[in-house]
Amino acid sequence: MIRLANPIASQYPVLRCRILPGLLDALRRNASRGLRDLALYETGSVFLAKDEFGTAQLPALGRHPGDDVIAQLDAGIPDQPQHLAVALAYREPAAQPGEQGRARDWADAVEAARKAADLLHVELGVVQGSHQAFHPGRTAELKLAERTVGYAGELHPKVIEEWICPRAPA
């Protein structure tokens, strides 16, 4: 993780390296306000630390820094890939008034990933997977060629309890 020297808010002292926690926070806020049937997405940069840290020294003012100083500063800029996450909760909207919508499940998350891949004009491979944030047996590993690019499925019950529906203090 990359710690900020001067964070905007004390509860966010580091740059995010995953996009899912912020999306789960949004789900929790909406659920706490009575909004249950949700389909949320977020796309944005994550910040991945490099092995090199660059330099903490700022170049002198009033003159152009040399190529070596610029290279040292550039070495400290983290990789910033774009990520996409989708969170689906409870039920899909009903087709007709007066009907209950269909309950969403892990297959809907996989379908959302496939739709995103279609929009991006990439061929997404989907295989059985496992990830600590997802329910065992209800997790798909998403691949571009042979490279894993993400996961889709049903969140693990412990993740749901901790992030979405925390227990009241005893």
Side-chain angles (χ1 to χ4, degrees), residues 15 24 28 33 55 69 85 92 96 103 109 113 120 133 162:
L15 292 173
L24 294 180
R28 178 178 33 211
R33 292 177 173 102
T55 180
V69 173
E92 198 170 89
Q96 297 179 9
L120 295 169
E162 182 179 329

Side-chain angles (χ1 to χ4, degrees), residues 9-22:
S10 61
Q11 68 265 34
Y12 302 112
V14 296
L15 292 173
R16 69 180 179 182
C17 56
R18 288 179 223 88
I19 204 167
L20 185 60

Side-chain angles (χ1 to χ4, degrees), residues 33-143:
R33 292 177 173 102
L35 302 169
R36 296 175 46 115
D37 301 327
L38 297 169
L40 304 175
Y41 78 94
E42 182 177 354
T43 182
S45 297
V46 297
F47 303 88
L48 307 176
K50 296 179 182 178
D51 292 335
E52 288 185 63
F53 292 109
T55 180
Q57 299 297 320
L58 294 176
L61 297 175
R63 62 186 168 102
H64 188 273
D67 290 341
D68 59 329
V69 173
I70 292 174
Q72 287 177 342
L73 290 169
D74 284 346
I77 297 173
D79 291 332
Q80 300 175 38
Q82 289 287 307
H83 282 203
L84 168 67
V86 175
L88 307 170
Y90 301 103
R91 297 187 170 276
E92 198 170 89
Q96 297 179 9
E99 290 182 1
Q100 274 196 340
R102 179 184 63 79
R104 292 182 168 123
D105 63 15
W106 66 271
D108 294 308
V110 174
E111 184 59 22
R114 285 188 168 131
K115 286 180 181 178
D118 285 347
L119 289 170
L120 295 169
H121 305 290
V122 295
E123 191 170 329
L124 187 67
V126 178
V127 298
Q128 179 70 40
S130 67
H131 187 279
Q132 69 270 16
F134 292 96
H135 195 293
R138 298 178 192 159
T139 305
E141 187 174 349
L142 309 173
K143 293 180 169 272

